[in-house]
Amino acid sequence: VHTSPDGVGMFGHVDLYFDGQVITYGCYDERTKWFFNALGEGHMLFIADRETYIPFCIHQSNKTIFGFGLRLDEEQKESIRAKLRSIESLLIPWYSDAQLAQMGQLPQHVAYEDYASLLSQVVDTRFFKFKRGKFKTYFVLGTNCVLLADQLIGAAGTDILKIGGIITPGTY
């Protein structure tokens, strides 16, 4: 659970670490954000190196991070993997501006300083956006990182969150 002292970061953010990768959901394309940054395209990220990602988050966004763990048996893990596969079927690749520049699709002499670009330059990150489904549009107070995390963890048969009203990391 990430928190930061200002902006949307005050609501917090939830990532999952599962099967050796960080899984996160949010709106990472600044061009699609609207209504005070509360709405935008939904993106799912898979980050390979947690040990590099955590210091990046702390430094880049002045975050405080709280870690919690769940002990899952193999059957519960497989249920999460199955849910993750079903969610992955809704995804299409998306690239940060820095990645697009590396691919020659944007000017390379520009310093891309949006969060997704900075992240992609520091740690191996695979970016995707939803082509359909409820996570296609991110909404900070509803279809957000907590809802996605609960969808995945809920597949294990855990009943952590009774969803109703505003969904925040603090609720989770």
Side-chain angles (χ1 to χ4, degrees):
V1 176
H2 305 222
T3 62
S4 60
D6 54 291
V8 176
M10 290 189 302
F11 286 105
H13 179 72
V14 171
D15 291 332
L16 294 178
Y17 182 73
F18 183 71
D19 278 349
Q21 64 184 348
V22 176
I23 303 166
T24 189
Y25 172 76
C27 179
Y28 292 93
D29 186 350
E30 299 296 322
R31 290 179 294 267
T32 71
K33 290 182 179 181
W34 60 286
F35 194 65
F36 307 103
N37 293 332
L39 291 155
E41 277 186 349
H43 299 91
M44 193 161 175
L45 283 54
F46 298 90
I47 302 163
D49 183 359
R50 175 177 66 169
E51 302 311 315
T52 302
Y53 172 67
I54 290 172
F56 168 83
C57 291
I58 292 168
H59 174 351
Q60 180 60 35
S61 303
N62 193 24
K63 291 181 179 178
T64 300
I65 299 179
F66 302 91
F68 301 92
L70 294 172
R71 280 192 204 275
L72 303 171
D73 62 31
E74 196 53 42
E75 184 178 329
Q76 290 171 313
K77 290 177 186 177
E78 190 50 46
S79 294
I80 291 174
R81 289 180 190 114
K83 182 64 176 179
L84 191 54
R85 284 190 298 272
S86 74
I87 290 172
E88 287 174 340
S89 73
L90 304 172
L91 301 175
I92 56 175
W94 179 79
Y95 301 96
S96 72
D97 288 348
Q99 289 172 316
L100 290 172
Q102 289 174 343
M103 296 166 21
Q105 296 180 18
L106 286 176
Q108 295 181 359
H109 64 281
V110 175
Y112 296 101
E113 296 188 7
D114 59 288
Y115 186 85
S117 290
L118 294 172
L119 177 62
S120 69
Q121 293 172 62
V122 171
V123 64
D124 180 22
T125 304
R126 294 181 301 127
F127 295 87
F128 296 90
K129 68 180 183 177
F130 282 80
K131 58 186 173 186
R132 66 179 182 280
K134 71 175 147 189
F135 293 103
K136 184 174 181 3
T137 300
Y138 170 83
F139 176 47
V140 72
L141 300 177
T143 309
N144 60 20
C145 56
V146 177
L147 186 62
L148 183 81
D150 190 60
Q151 293 279 307
L152 290 170
I153 293 172
T158 61
D159 193 15
I160 294 176
L161 182 63
K162 299 283 188 209
I163 295 179
I166 297 173
I167 306 165
T168 68
T171 303
Y172 208 53

